[in-house]
Each structure stands twice: as structure tokens, then as C-alpha cells.
């Protein structure tokens, strides 16, 4: 990323704020210090870049073997990420990797592993 673009995005997100409106009254200004702005055309690209960095860090030896030379370790759609593995230990390992990688970008996973199952 070009240095000017980086500085622009950093300032754009550091200055992010909002107000809540309830019964025609506005709240004090609330600083938004986490996440990506929704509805901004660039947001989807920033979010995807972060998800791509996280999934590129997954352990390549962990996944679900579809064929002798084909292993699937994840599927992503919108803001959902599914991890595939052949063991509980592998799932915990790759979940931990994703969680650590997202934290580097200031993102947190809400909850934990919401559903898991082993395919055979």
C-alpha cells in the first residue's frame, strides 16, 4: 500500500465517530475505535484483506482431505469463516491462528467456535 493511502486510511479511521438518536435527542459523540465502517465502498476490501491475511497463516497440514492431493482448510463468505479439520486439536490450532491474526488488525471474534463437527 502506498504511504499516502496508508496515512489517509489511518486518519480516516482514527477520526471515526457517531452519535445515537433517541426520541429526537442526540447523544454525546462516541468515538469508534474498532472495526470497519459499514456501508463505505472500501470497507469490504479492507475486511477481505484482513481475512485473507488470517487464512494465509493457517497451518497447511490441517484440513479435511477431499482427495489424496486436495485438502480444504477453510471456506469464507461475507463475514463468516468455516474451518475444516480432521481433528479437534487441528480445529483448536487453526482457530487460535485466526484469532491471533485478526487481533493484529484490531478485530475480535465474537464468541468462540460456535459449531463444530467432524466429517469422515
Amino acid at each position: 500500500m502506498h504511504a499516502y493511502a496508508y496515512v489517509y486510511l489511518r486518519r480516516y479511521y482514527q477520526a471515526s465517530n457517531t452519535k445515537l438518536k433517541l426520541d429526537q435527542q442526540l447523544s454525546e459523540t462516541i468515538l469508534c475505535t474498532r472495526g470497519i465502517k459499514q456501508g463505505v465502498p472500501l470497507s469490504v476490501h479492507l475486511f477481505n484483506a484482513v481475512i485473507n491475511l488470517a487464512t494465509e497463516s493457517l497451518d497447511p497440514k490441517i484440513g479435511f482431505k477431499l482427495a489424496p492431493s486436495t485438502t480444504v482448510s477453510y471456506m469464507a463468505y461475507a463475514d463468516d469463516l468455516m474451518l475444516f479439520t480432521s481433528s479437534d486439536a487441528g480445529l483448536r490450532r487453526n482457530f487460535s491462528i485466526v484469532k491471533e491474526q485478526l487481533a493484529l488488525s484490531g478485530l475480535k471474534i465474537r464468541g468462540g467456535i460456535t459449531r463444530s463437527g467432524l466429517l469422515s
Side-chain angles (χ1 to χ4, degrees), residues 6-110:
Y6 174 78
V7 169
Y8 171 80
L9 288 172
R10 185 178 172 114
R11 287 182 181 161
Y12 179 71
Y13 277 91
Q14 283 179 335
S16 181
N17 63 67
T18 191
K19 291 184 179 187
L20 301 178
K21 186 175 184 180
L22 180 64
D23 294 329
Q24 303 303 319
Q25 295 219 333
L26 285 177
S27 71
E28 297 292 321
T29 299
I30 302 166
L31 293 177
C32 302
T33 59
R34 300 188 70 94
I36 298 173
K37 292 182 179 185
Q38 293 184 357
V40 177
L42 184 60
S43 296
V44 67
H45 301 291
L46 291 173
F47 183 79
N48 285 338
V50 170
I51 292 296
N52 287 344
L53 287 172
T55 56
E56 287 172 2
S57 300
L58 292 173
D59 188 329
K61 293 179 238 132
I62 297 173
F64 181 74
K65 197 171 268 308
L66 291 176
S69 62
T70 306
T71 301
V72 176
S73 57
Y74 74 93
M75 269 184 15
Y77 180 77
D79 63 350
D80 294 323
L81 180 63
M82 292 181 284
L83 300 176
F84 298 105
T85 180
S86 57
S87 70
D88 285 338
L91 181 60
R92 283 191 298 275
R93 169 82 177 119
N94 271 349
F95 181 79
S96 177
I97 290 170
V98 168
K99 190 173 176 181
E100 290 169 10
Q101 290 298 311
L102 293 179
L104 293 174
S105 299
L107 297 178
K108 282 186 178 179
I109 296 174
R110 279 188 283 189

